[in-house]
mmCIF file of all heavy atoms in Angstrom:
data_model
loop_
_atom_site.group_PDB
_atom_site.id
_atom_site.type_symbol
_atom_site.label_atom_id
_atom_site.label_comp_id
_atom_site.label_asym_id
_atom_site.label_seq_id
_atom_site.Cartn_x
_atom_site.Cartn_y
_atom_site.Cartn_z
ATOM 1 N N LEU X 157 24.827 14.273 -0.311
ATOM 2 C CA LEU X 157 24.864 12.900 -0.866
ATOM 3 C C LEU X 157 25.416 12.868 -2.320
ATOM 4 O O LEU X 157 26.256 12.126 -2.683
ATOM 5 C CB LEU X 157 23.641 12.210 -0.763
ATOM 6 C CG LEU X 157 23.528 10.844 -1.233
ATOM 7 C CD1 LEU X 157 24.454 9.915 -0.533
ATOM 8 C CD2 LEU X 157 22.026 10.256 -1.175
ATOM 9 N N LYS X 158 24.893 13.857 -3.078
ATOM 10 C CA LYS X 158 25.302 13.856 -4.448
ATOM 11 C C LYS X 158 26.780 14.236 -4.692
ATOM 12 O O LYS X 158 27.487 13.596 -5.476
ATOM 13 C CB LYS X 158 24.419 14.911 -5.177
ATOM 14 C CG LYS X 158 24.712 15.067 -6.692
ATOM 15 C CD LYS X 158 23.848 16.112 -7.310
ATOM 16 C CE LYS X 158 24.225 16.277 -8.766
ATOM 17 N NZ LYS X 158 23.329 17.336 -9.392
ATOM 18 N N ALA X 159 27.268 15.069 -3.803
ATOM 19 C CA ALA X 159 28.670 15.555 -3.888
ATOM 20 C C ALA X 159 29.585 14.363 -3.377
ATOM 21 O O ALA X 159 30.637 14.152 -3.951
ATOM 22 C CB ALA X 159 28.894 16.782 -3.011
ATOM 23 N N VAL X 160 29.090 13.725 -2.432
ATOM 24 C CA VAL X 160 29.998 12.459 -1.906
ATOM 25 C C VAL X 160 30.002 11.443 -2.957
ATOM 26 O O VAL X 160 31.026 10.833 -3.253
ATOM 27 C CB VAL X 160 29.362 11.992 -0.570
ATOM 28 C CG1 VAL X 160 30.053 10.646 -0.176
ATOM 29 C CG2 VAL X 160 29.616 13.105 0.505
ATOM 30 N N ASN X 161 28.886 11.054 -3.548
ATOM 31 C CA ASN X 161 28.737 10.036 -4.464
ATOM 32 C C ASN X 161 29.571 10.351 -5.702
ATOM 33 O O ASN X 161 30.228 9.480 -6.332
ATOM 34 C CB ASN X 161 27.357 9.779 -4.856
ATOM 35 C CG ASN X 161 27.096 8.530 -5.702
ATOM 36 O OD1 ASN X 161 27.358 7.438 -5.289
ATOM 37 N ND2 ASN X 161 26.708 8.671 -6.993
ATOM 38 N N SER X 162 29.671 11.606 -6.120
ATOM 39 C CA SER X 162 30.419 11.987 -7.358
ATOM 40 C C SER X 162 31.919 12.179 -7.109
ATOM 41 O O SER X 162 32.707 12.228 -8.023
ATOM 42 C CB SER X 162 29.856 13.317 -7.913
ATOM 43 O OG SER X 162 30.218 14.383 -7.144
ATOM 44 N N GLY X 163 32.335 12.117 -5.823
ATOM 45 C CA GLY X 163 33.704 12.259 -5.472
ATOM 46 C C GLY X 163 34.121 13.763 -5.296
ATOM 47 O O GLY X 163 35.329 14.039 -5.086
ATOM 48 N N GLU X 164 33.087 14.672 -5.356
ATOM 49 C CA GLU X 164 33.423 16.111 -5.146
ATOM 50 C C GLU X 164 33.937 16.336 -3.790
ATOM 51 O O GLU X 164 34.858 17.278 -3.598
ATOM 52 C CB GLU X 164 32.225 16.887 -5.468
ATOM 53 C CG GLU X 164 32.272 18.360 -5.176
ATOM 54 C CD GLU X 164 31.004 19.140 -5.456
ATOM 55 O OE1 GLU X 164 30.309 18.781 -6.389
ATOM 56 O OE2 GLU X 164 30.646 20.007 -4.543
ATOM 57 N N VAL X 165 33.494 15.551 -2.754
ATOM 58 C CA VAL X 165 34.039 15.664 -1.381
ATOM 59 C C VAL X 165 33.998 14.285 -0.858
ATOM 60 O O VAL X 165 33.074 13.524 -1.223
ATOM 61 C CB VAL X 165 33.108 16.683 -0.637
ATOM 62 C CG1 VAL X 165 31.672 16.128 -0.508
ATOM 63 C CG2 VAL X 165 33.658 16.939 0.790
ATOM 64 N N PRO X 166 34.946 13.880 -0.018
ATOM 65 C CA PRO X 166 35.062 12.556 0.443
ATOM 66 C C PRO X 166 33.898 12.127 1.395
ATOM 67 O O PRO X 166 33.569 11.001 1.362
ATOM 68 C CB PRO X 166 36.355 12.468 1.170
ATOM 69 C CG PRO X 166 37.201 13.542 0.542
ATOM 70 C CD PRO X 166 36.234 14.655 0.305
ATOM 71 N N ALA X 167 33.320 13.038 2.223
ATOM 72 C CA ALA X 167 32.300 12.713 3.164
ATOM 73 C C ALA X 167 31.407 13.787 3.469
ATOM 74 O O ALA X 167 31.744 14.964 3.033
ATOM 75 C CB ALA X 167 33.012 12.267 4.472
ATOM 76 N N GLY X 168 30.373 13.564 4.245
ATOM 77 C CA GLY X 168 29.443 14.602 4.677
ATOM 78 C C GLY X 168 28.531 14.111 5.831
ATOM 79 O O GLY X 168 28.376 12.979 6.000
ATOM 80 N N ILE X 169 28.304 15.120 6.671
ATOM 81 C CA ILE X 169 27.382 14.840 7.794
ATOM 82 C C ILE X 169 25.931 14.847 7.343
ATOM 83 O O ILE X 169 25.550 15.824 6.654
ATOM 84 C CB ILE X 169 27.588 15.884 8.934
ATOM 85 C CG1 ILE X 169 29.018 15.846 9.548
ATOM 86 C CG2 ILE X 169 26.592 15.648 10.058
ATOM 87 C CD1 ILE X 169 29.329 16.902 10.464
ATOM 88 N N SER X 170 25.136 13.865 7.677
ATOM 89 C CA SER X 170 23.851 13.769 7.170
ATOM 90 C C SER X 170 22.973 12.913 8.136
ATOM 91 O O SER X 170 23.353 12.567 9.245
ATOM 92 C CB SER X 170 23.901 13.042 5.843
ATOM 93 O OG SER X 170 22.523 12.999 5.209
ATOM 94 N N TYR X 171 21.742 12.660 7.703
ATOM 95 C CA TYR X 171 20.917 11.633 8.444
ATOM 96 C C TYR X 171 20.851 10.433 7.497
ATOM 97 O O TYR X 171 20.990 10.488 6.254
ATOM 98 C CB TYR X 171 19.536 12.199 8.596
ATOM 99 C CG TYR X 171 19.343 13.119 9.925
ATOM 100 C CD1 TYR X 171 18.325 14.048 9.858
ATOM 101 C CD2 TYR X 171 20.199 13.099 10.962
ATOM 102 C CE1 TYR X 171 18.115 14.839 10.905
ATOM 103 C CE2 TYR X 171 19.999 13.955 12.008
ATOM 104 C CZ TYR X 171 18.963 14.832 11.996
ATOM 105 O OH TYR X 171 18.817 15.677 13.041
ATOM 106 N N HIS X 172 20.506 9.307 8.123
ATOM 107 C CA HIS X 172 20.635 7.981 7.436
ATOM 108 C C HIS X 172 19.717 7.850 6.324
ATOM 109 O O HIS X 172 20.065 7.266 5.286
ATOM 110 C CB HIS X 172 20.318 6.844 8.499
ATOM 111 C CG HIS X 172 18.916 6.759 8.786
ATOM 112 N ND1 HIS X 172 18.255 7.560 9.683
ATOM 113 C CD2 HIS X 172 17.972 5.935 8.273
ATOM 114 C CE1 HIS X 172 17.006 7.242 9.764
ATOM 115 N NE2 HIS X 172 16.730 6.257 8.950
ATOM 116 N N TYR X 173 18.509 8.406 6.348
ATOM 117 C CA TYR X 173 17.446 8.064 5.512
ATOM 118 C C TYR X 173 17.647 8.622 4.030
ATOM 119 O O TYR X 173 17.082 8.075 3.082
ATOM 120 C CB TYR X 173 16.121 8.482 6.035
ATOM 121 C CG TYR X 173 15.843 10.006 6.077
ATOM 122 C CD1 TYR X 173 15.275 10.615 5.121
ATOM 123 C CD2 TYR X 173 16.162 10.687 7.204
ATOM 124 C CE1 TYR X 173 14.890 12.029 5.202
ATOM 125 C CE2 TYR X 173 15.961 12.026 7.338
ATOM 126 C CZ TYR X 173 15.286 12.737 6.315
ATOM 127 O OH TYR X 173 15.108 14.080 6.435
ATOM 128 N N TYR X 174 18.484 9.564 3.869
ATOM 129 C CA TYR X 174 18.667 10.092 2.468
ATOM 130 C C TYR X 174 19.347 9.061 1.619
ATOM 131 O O TYR X 174 19.011 8.828 0.495
ATOM 132 C CB TYR X 174 19.562 11.386 2.538
ATOM 133 C CG TYR X 174 18.837 12.539 3.144
ATOM 134 C CD1 TYR X 174 19.038 12.907 4.477
ATOM 135 C CD2 TYR X 174 18.057 13.410 2.398
ATOM 136 C CE1 TYR X 174 18.307 13.958 5.088
ATOM 137 C CE2 TYR X 174 17.368 14.486 2.916
ATOM 138 C CZ TYR X 174 17.557 14.709 4.277
ATOM 139 O OH TYR X 174 16.872 15.821 4.839
ATOM 140 N N TRP X 175 20.385 8.341 2.238
ATOM 141 C CA TRP X 175 21.117 7.228 1.571
ATOM 142 C C TRP X 175 20.078 6.129 1.306
ATOM 143 O O TRP X 175 20.051 5.541 0.242
ATOM 144 C CB TRP X 175 22.281 6.873 2.357
ATOM 145 C CG TRP X 175 23.137 5.763 1.767
ATOM 146 C CD1 TRP X 175 24.234 5.997 0.950
ATOM 147 C CD2 TRP X 175 22.993 4.437 1.943
ATOM 148 N NE1 TRP X 175 24.789 4.797 0.592
ATOM 149 C CE2 TRP X 175 24.084 3.797 1.232
ATOM 150 C CE3 TRP X 175 22.223 3.550 2.749
ATOM 151 C CZ2 TRP X 175 24.310 2.460 1.244
ATOM 152 C CZ3 TRP X 175 22.373 2.254 2.678
ATOM 153 C CH2 TRP X 175 23.383 1.632 2.027
ATOM 154 N N TYR X 176 19.353 5.714 2.271
ATOM 155 C CA TYR X 176 18.516 4.604 2.138
ATOM 156 C C TYR X 176 17.389 4.826 1.165
ATOM 157 O O TYR X 176 17.009 3.948 0.448
ATOM 158 C CB TYR X 176 17.819 4.238 3.567
ATOM 159 C CG TYR X 176 18.729 3.408 4.406
ATOM 160 C CD1 TYR X 176 19.389 3.970 5.542
ATOM 161 C CD2 TYR X 176 18.869 2.044 4.227
ATOM 162 C CE1 TYR X 176 20.184 3.335 6.396
ATOM 163 C CE2 TYR X 176 19.722 1.360 5.100
ATOM 164 C CZ TYR X 176 20.297 1.842 6.142
ATOM 165 O OH TYR X 176 21.173 1.099 6.956
ATOM 166 N N LYS X 177 16.828 5.998 1.115
ATOM 167 C CA LYS X 177 15.777 6.348 0.134
ATOM 168 C C LYS X 177 16.308 6.268 -1.284
ATOM 169 O O LYS X 177 15.733 5.740 -2.258
ATOM 170 C CB LYS X 177 15.310 7.665 0.390
ATOM 171 C CG LYS X 177 14.364 7.800 1.577
ATOM 172 C CD LYS X 177 13.949 9.241 1.972
ATOM 173 C CE LYS X 177 12.958 9.802 0.985
ATOM 174 N NZ LYS X 177 12.507 11.189 1.406
ATOM 175 N N ASP X 178 17.659 6.778 -1.479
ATOM 176 C CA ASP X 178 18.156 6.629 -2.797
ATOM 177 C C ASP X 178 18.466 5.196 -3.153
ATOM 178 O O ASP X 178 18.214 4.830 -4.314
ATOM 179 C CB ASP X 178 19.449 7.521 -2.791
ATOM 180 C CG ASP X 178 20.091 7.559 -4.278
ATOM 181 O OD1 ASP X 178 19.609 8.412 -5.059
ATOM 182 O OD2 ASP X 178 20.927 6.707 -4.630
ATOM 183 N N ARG X 179 19.005 4.436 -2.259
ATOM 184 C CA ARG X 179 19.197 2.929 -2.522
ATOM 185 C C ARG X 179 17.898 2.279 -2.927
ATOM 186 O O ARG X 179 17.890 1.371 -3.762
ATOM 187 C CB ARG X 179 19.948 2.363 -1.360
ATOM 188 C CG ARG X 179 21.399 2.704 -1.239
ATOM 189 C CD ARG X 179 22.156 2.061 -2.430
ATOM 190 N NE ARG X 179 23.569 2.452 -2.460
ATOM 191 C CZ ARG X 179 24.542 1.697 -1.876
ATOM 192 N NH1 ARG X 179 24.257 0.524 -1.329
ATOM 193 N NH2 ARG X 179 25.788 2.087 -1.902
ATOM 194 N N ALA X 180 16.867 2.570 -2.185
ATOM 195 C CA ALA X 180 15.559 1.952 -2.420
ATOM 196 C C ALA X 180 14.951 2.295 -3.732
ATOM 197 O O ALA X 180 14.214 1.508 -4.326
ATOM 198 C CB ALA X 180 14.577 2.360 -1.310
ATOM 199 N N SER X 181 15.438 3.434 -4.298
ATOM 200 C CA SER X 181 14.819 3.920 -5.577
ATOM 201 C C SER X 181 15.861 3.672 -6.793
ATOM 202 O O SER X 181 15.675 4.112 -7.866
ATOM 203 C CB SER X 181 14.505 5.393 -5.606
ATOM 204 O OG SER X 181 15.686 6.138 -5.357
ATOM 205 N N GLY X 182 16.882 2.764 -6.566
ATOM 206 C CA GLY X 182 17.767 2.391 -7.599
ATOM 207 C C GLY X 182 19.240 2.684 -7.343
ATOM 208 O O GLY X 182 20.126 2.148 -8.043
ATOM 209 N N GLY X 183 19.547 3.547 -6.453
ATOM 210 C CA GLY X 183 20.899 3.851 -6.039
ATOM 211 C C GLY X 183 21.658 4.634 -6.988
ATOM 212 O O GLY X 183 23.001 4.673 -6.895
ATOM 213 N N THR X 184 20.996 5.426 -7.859
ATOM 214 C CA THR X 184 21.758 6.165 -8.850
ATOM 215 C C THR X 184 22.688 7.343 -8.242
ATOM 216 O O THR X 184 23.635 7.680 -8.763
ATOM 217 C CB THR X 184 20.907 6.869 -9.932
ATOM 218 O OG1 THR X 184 19.854 7.587 -9.270
ATOM 219 C CG2 THR X 184 20.118 5.775 -10.781
ATOM 220 N N GLY X 185 22.194 7.766 -7.047
ATOM 221 C CA GLY X 185 22.893 8.917 -6.323
ATOM 222 C C GLY X 185 23.616 8.431 -5.174
ATOM 223 O O GLY X 185 24.255 9.270 -4.454
ATOM 224 N N SER X 186 23.766 7.144 -4.901
ATOM 225 C CA SER X 186 24.520 6.647 -3.769
ATOM 226 C C SER X 186 25.393 5.389 -4.041
ATOM 227 O O SER X 186 25.901 4.818 -3.104
ATOM 228 C CB SER X 186 23.508 6.249 -2.748
ATOM 229 O OG SER X 186 22.640 5.250 -3.141
ATOM 230 N N GLY X 187 25.569 5.011 -5.324
ATOM 231 C CA GLY X 187 26.184 3.783 -5.569
ATOM 232 C C GLY X 187 27.697 3.740 -5.133
ATOM 233 O O GLY X 187 28.276 2.698 -4.904
ATOM 234 N N ASN X 188 28.294 4.981 -5.063
ATOM 235 C CA ASN X 188 29.696 5.045 -4.608
ATOM 236 C C ASN X 188 29.829 5.502 -3.159
ATOM 237 O O ASN X 188 30.967 5.700 -2.643
ATOM 238 C CB ASN X 188 30.446 6.057 -5.475
ATOM 239 C CG ASN X 188 30.458 5.690 -6.955
ATOM 240 O OD1 ASN X 188 30.602 4.589 -7.342
ATOM 241 N ND2 ASN X 188 30.264 6.726 -7.841
ATOM 242 N N ALA X 189 28.809 5.544 -2.392
ATOM 243 C CA ALA X 189 28.774 6.114 -1.015
ATOM 244 C C ALA X 189 28.181 4.956 -0.013
ATOM 245 O O ALA X 189 27.427 4.118 -0.450
ATOM 246 C CB ALA X 189 27.887 7.219 -0.884
ATOM 247 N N GLU X 190 28.767 4.961 1.140
ATOM 248 C CA GLU X 190 28.302 4.160 2.251
ATOM 249 C C GLU X 190 28.090 4.996 3.456
ATOM 250 O O GLU X 190 28.554 6.130 3.547
ATOM 251 C CB GLU X 190 29.236 2.965 2.505
ATOM 252 C CG GLU X 190 29.428 2.016 1.380
ATOM 253 C CD GLU X 190 28.247 1.172 1.183
ATOM 254 O OE1 GLU X 190 27.425 1.056 2.130
ATOM 255 O OE2 GLU X 190 28.094 0.478 0.036
ATOM 256 N N LEU X 191 27.403 4.388 4.406
ATOM 257 C CA LEU X 191 27.180 5.114 5.679
ATOM 258 C C LEU X 191 28.129 4.676 6.751
ATOM 259 O O LEU X 191 28.313 3.439 6.976
ATOM 260 C CB LEU X 191 25.624 4.957 6.081
ATOM 261 C CG LEU X 191 24.649 5.465 5.227
ATOM 262 C CD1 LEU X 191 23.267 5.280 5.879
ATOM 263 C CD2 LEU X 191 24.919 6.860 4.830
ATOM 264 N N HIS X 192 28.585 5.558 7.518
ATOM 265 C CA HIS X 192 29.355 5.310 8.747
ATOM 266 C C HIS X 192 28.472 5.709 9.893
ATOM 267 O O HIS X 192 28.189 6.919 10.118
ATOM 268 C CB HIS X 192 30.710 6.013 8.790
ATOM 269 C CG HIS X 192 31.486 5.918 10.006
ATOM 270 N ND1 HIS X 192 31.729 4.729 10.589
ATOM 271 C CD2 HIS X 192 32.098 6.838 10.740
ATOM 272 C CE1 HIS X 192 32.570 4.900 11.728
ATOM 273 N NE2 HIS X 192 32.664 6.206 11.797
ATOM 274 N N PHE X 193 28.141 4.693 10.695
ATOM 275 C CA PHE X 193 27.433 5.014 12.023
ATOM 276 C C PHE X 193 28.399 5.006 13.086
ATOM 277 O O PHE X 193 29.165 4.057 13.351
ATOM 278 C CB PHE X 193 26.420 3.869 12.254
ATOM 279 C CG PHE X 193 25.249 3.826 11.327
ATOM 280 C CD1 PHE X 193 25.342 3.202 10.065
ATOM 281 C CD2 PHE X 193 24.057 4.398 11.627
ATOM 282 C CE1 PHE X 193 24.321 3.147 9.207
ATOM 283 C CE2 PHE X 193 22.959 4.339 10.805
ATOM 284 C CZ PHE X 193 23.118 3.649 9.547
ATOM 285 N N PHE X 194 28.570 6.163 13.760
ATOM 286 C CA PHE X 194 29.511 6.357 14.815
ATOM 287 C C PHE X 194 29.376 5.412 15.923
ATOM 288 O O PHE X 194 30.392 4.882 16.488
ATOM 289 C CB PHE X 194 29.635 7.828 15.226
ATOM 290 C CG PHE X 194 30.129 8.755 14.291
ATOM 291 C CD1 PHE X 194 29.387 9.538 13.435
ATOM 292 C CD2 PHE X 194 31.546 9.003 14.137
ATOM 293 C CE1 PHE X 194 29.908 10.404 12.570
ATOM 294 C CE2 PHE X 194 32.127 9.725 13.196
ATOM 295 C CZ PHE X 194 31.273 10.599 12.367
ATOM 296 N N GLY X 195 28.211 5.199 16.445
ATOM 297 C CA GLY X 195 27.974 4.370 17.610
ATOM 298 C C GLY X 195 28.671 4.822 18.842
ATOM 299 O O GLY X 195 29.110 6.032 19.014
ATOM 300 N N HIS X 196 28.909 3.886 19.830
ATOM 301 C CA HIS X 196 29.660 4.189 21.056
ATOM 302 C C HIS X 196 29.210 5.428 21.836
ATOM 303 O O HIS X 196 29.981 6.075 22.446
ATOM 304 C CB HIS X 196 31.126 4.320 20.678
ATOM 305 C CG HIS X 196 31.707 3.173 19.923
ATOM 306 N ND1 HIS X 196 31.886 1.873 20.480
ATOM 307 C CD2 HIS X 196 32.112 3.062 18.670
ATOM 308 C CE1 HIS X 196 32.306 1.075 19.591
ATOM 309 N NE2 HIS X 196 32.410 1.774 18.476
ATOM 310 N N ALA X 197 27.925 5.737 21.718
ATOM 311 C CA ALA X 197 27.324 6.917 22.412
ATOM 312 C C ALA X 197 28.044 8.268 22.025
ATOM 313 O O ALA X 197 27.963 9.178 22.779
ATOM 314 C CB ALA X 197 27.407 6.755 23.964
#
């Protein structure tokens, strides 16, 4: 998450809650990042 947010790498495989926890605590580590939910099974 830190690497994606800083632009070190464009994306990363993760679980949803790391981003949500950071946003809930102020978003300092996720302000430049969003989540892509693949869906479609």
Side-chain angles (χ1 to χ4, degrees):
L157 178 59
K158 182 178 179 180
V160 170
N161 191 63
S162 69
E164 178 182 315
V165 64
I169 298 174
S170 183
Y171 281 155
H172 76 278
Y173 68 93
Y174 293 94
W175 183 90
Y176 278 105
K177 287 172 70 172
D178 188 82
R179 283 295 176 94
S181 62
T184 57
S186 61
N188 300 320
E190 294 290 342
L191 298 185
H192 173 49
F193 291 82
F194 287 98
H196 306 291

